[in-house]
Amino acid sequence: MSAIAAIVIGMSIILAAVIFAFVGNLLQDTERDPNAGKIDRLTQQLAQQDSEIRGLRSELNTLKGQMADVGGRVMELEKAPPSGPAQTAPVINPQAVQQTDPSPLFTDQFGGMAPREEEGNLTEPMQLAKKRFNENVIRPTPAVLRQILGEPRSTYSTTCAPVTNPKLLHVLETRDIGGIRLTMIRPALDSLQQIMARLKKEEPDIYAAIGTAGALCARYVRGSSKSVSSHAWGAAVDLTIKKNLDNMGDNSTQFGLVVLAEFFNEAGWYWGAGYSREDSMHFEVGEALLRKWAAEGKL
């Protein structure tokens, strides 16, 4: 009996231990939150995002400070008086032309003003022109200009040279318009004269301030040995306001040129501020207008 009692007591002890362990695990599982792991992960993600947000705010504050510095420098430059001939544009008298840019200015073969050199590798967009101007006006490519007007000459360099193509020579004309003397294809001069007449009536102050940096010039775009400038066909003109050349590629423009752009766009001309590198003083005949003149037998 004592042996059986010992066995019974031992089995009871084992059974009690098993029951105790089972109940303990059951209680532990009951107390554990099934969403605790998810909450921990979310907490960690939120902490990480909060850290990233703080970092972005710091970078934003740094950028704001840099923009304020740039704005201050721009205001200082705008307020600074012009220094030397680099800020003046040429007048109509070819003998009185001063160098207003490292690129020399010339007269064309007919006595009109020829433009300064242009720059290739154009990279900086001007958002103002992209969004507001040149809508439905397409800039003619050199291939289109060749198709309609022929090749201006057989060879080019980065300096102005005479036009030699008889077909193009036949439609070129030199004319005084608004106090400036220009050589361009004849229908372009007619259109320009209409634009200037409207400008004189509606914006007399801007009309009185207009000057030129040239029109006809058979040459390459500066920095290129392949791309011929639209000036070579007498289909483009560079205009100035108050004898000041607008800086190319600075993503800004003189107010008067913005007003001019509206008049030129409405007449079918393309504004050079829409180039990949802004050239706000440049205006050229749009492709549709060229094709229209060709269809009418004017070219």
Side-chain angles (χ1 to χ4, degrees), residues 72-81:
R73 288 195 293 269
V74 170
M75 291 181 64
E76 290 176 359
L77 289 174
E78 290 177 346
K79 293 179 181 179

Side-chain angles (χ1 to χ4, degrees), residues 150-168:
E151 191 73 56
R153 53 180 291 110
S154 58
T155 60
Y156 301 92
S157 67
T158 57
T159 58
C160 295
V163 171
T164 58
N165 183 337
K167 177 183 177 181
L168 182 54

